[in-house]
Amino acid sequence: MSEHRKIAVIGAGHVGSHCAQALCWRWCAQEIVLIDKEKEKAIAQAMDIADSLSFPAADITVRAGDYADCADADLIFVAIGKARLPGQTRLDLLGDSVKMAKELIGQLSPYSLRGIVVSITNPADIIADYLRKGLHLPRNQVFSTGTLLDTARLIRTIAEKTGMSRQAVTAFSLGEHGDSSMIPFSAIRIGGLPLESYPMVNRAELLERTHGIGMDIINGKGSTEFGIGQSAAFLADAILRDRKAVLPVSVQLCGEYGQKDVSCGVPCVIGKSGVEKIIELPLTPDEQEQLQASCDVIRKHIALAEQIAPLD
Ligand SMILES: NC(=O)c1ccc[n+]([C@@H]2O[C@H](COP(=O)([O-])OP(=O)(O)OC[C@H]3O[C@@H](n4cnc5c(N)ncnc54)[C@H](O)[C@@H]3O)[C@@H](O)[C@H]2O)c1
């Protein structure tokens, strides 16, 4: 890559730091800037990650910075927030997260952002929707990782159950990044064949694992970080290298899948403009109903976010 690429990561906690580390090893930017309210934490995380880049050698600058660094960043990740506690749903984080998102909108308001903004903060669909409105940017430019991590977990489970390579699996989790997410089983292909060709795969178990793995990790170690770090870095690579990759992210829907006034996880073509196209999978009537139910959950919480922290 000849031109200089810069990524800002706002929030240098578990998620932000793991994203930054994974971004280094995808080599998709020459400069990675960590920004945190706790400046000392951002400095320490940046130093620790920078130490990891000598063996093997990677000529990437990793440093702590400030909100002004977002003005000329090609890509901005938002990883502020708090990790879930055992027993908490992502929706339970809404009150704290939306107040932090409002504060962040104020911190970014002096700058005109030209880069793509990818939000990770939970509840992911609602916070991305709130940030897009608060930053007054178009839907292709502000979106969330949404069900990308759920999809990573789904692909992992299918590969483990079938003994096939993850690379042979095409599958998506759609809807909320949370407990109402759904799986369009009709669209799953494993080595080109539909799910019916793999009787060892139980649909209820796929859904249960996709919903449950995150909390299993939280129960064991208090935060999830590696899975989202790699997922975010893969997404960054698709954006910065204009790959036209098809990945599920949470983007505002304007009639696609029969939905509007909602942001939710759907497969999208990802390239240098961010979300370049939404792919509409042909869902069965049952699947369409499940997606509708998930969108209703998100819509209800979008309205709640606007009550908790009204946008100016
Ligand atoms: N979307 C996903 O797939 C996914 C996966 C894992 C975690 N998450 C979410 O990511 C978020 C972060 O989780 P974590 O475990 O890293 O939490 P954490 O507490 O370790 O880190 C959050 C950091 O954000 C900082 N922060 C808060 N407001 C800020 C602001 N305005 N500017 C700069 N920094 C700010 C805090 O100081 C803290 O260092 C949570 O909402 C969590 O639920 C999402």
Side-chain angles (χ1 to χ4, degrees), residues 6-18:
K6 176 178 177 183
I7 303 176
V9 179
I10 309 177
H14 293 279
V15 171
S17 59
H18 281 71

Side-chain angles (χ1 to χ4, degrees), residues 13-15 36-37 41 67 80-82 107 120 122 177 224:
H14 293 279
V15 171
D36 200 285
K37 271 166 66 160
K41 185 174 178 179
Y67 301 99
I80 63 174
K82 285 183 187 159
Q107 286 154 331
I120 299 174
N122 276 323
H177 169 55
T224 70

Side-chain angles (χ1 to χ4, degrees), residues 57-72:
D59 293 322
I60 300 169
T61 301
V62 182
R63 63 174 176 85
D66 213 330
Y67 301 99
D69 277 296
C70 295
D72 64 347

Side-chain angles (χ1 to χ4, degrees), residues 73-216:
D74 299 285
L75 181 56
I76 300 162
F77 279 106
V78 177
I80 63 174
K82 285 183 187 159
R84 279 191 288 161
L85 297 172
Q88 270 190 321
T89 69
R90 296 171 181 91
L91 294 170
D92 290 337
L93 300 175
L94 179 65
D96 282 340
S97 292
V98 77
K99 287 180 202 148
M100 288 188 212
K102 183 161 184 177
E103 189 187 354
L104 179 63
I105 290 167
Q107 286 154 331
L108 292 176
S109 65
Y111 312 105
S112 143
L113 305 182
R114 63 170 183 80
I116 307 293
V117 180
V118 177
S119 179
I120 299 174
T121 304
N122 276 323
D125 309 277
I126 297 120
I127 296 301
D129 193 83
Y130 185 87
L131 286 173
R132 176 183 51 73
K133 288 173 183 156
L135 294 170
H136 304 288
L137 293 171
R139 68 172 180 168
N140 68 293
Q141 196 182 343
V142 184
F143 51 93
S144 160
T145 47
T147 50
L148 187 58
L149 180 57
D150 315 59
T151 297
R153 291 173 176 153
L154 173 62
I155 291 172
R156 166 193 164 189
T157 309
I158 294 173
E160 287 172 359
K161 294 285 164 198
T162 59
M164 302 280 279
S165 160
R166 296 187 194 205
Q167 187 257 328
V169 179
T170 303
F172 300 103
S173 163
L174 306 186
E176 179 203 355
H177 169 55
D179 297 340
S180 73
S181 71
M182 53 79 63
I183 300 169
F185 291 108
S186 64
I188 293 181
R189 293 292 176 275
I190 306 160
L193 299 176
L195 199 54
E196 290 71 26
S197 307
Y198 299 86
M200 70 289 264
V201 182
N202 177 300
R203 293 175 182 217
E205 191 184 356
L206 286 189
L207 192 61
E208 188 278 320
R209 293 317 297 140
T210 303
H211 286 169
I213 287 173
M215 189 43 72
D216 288 352

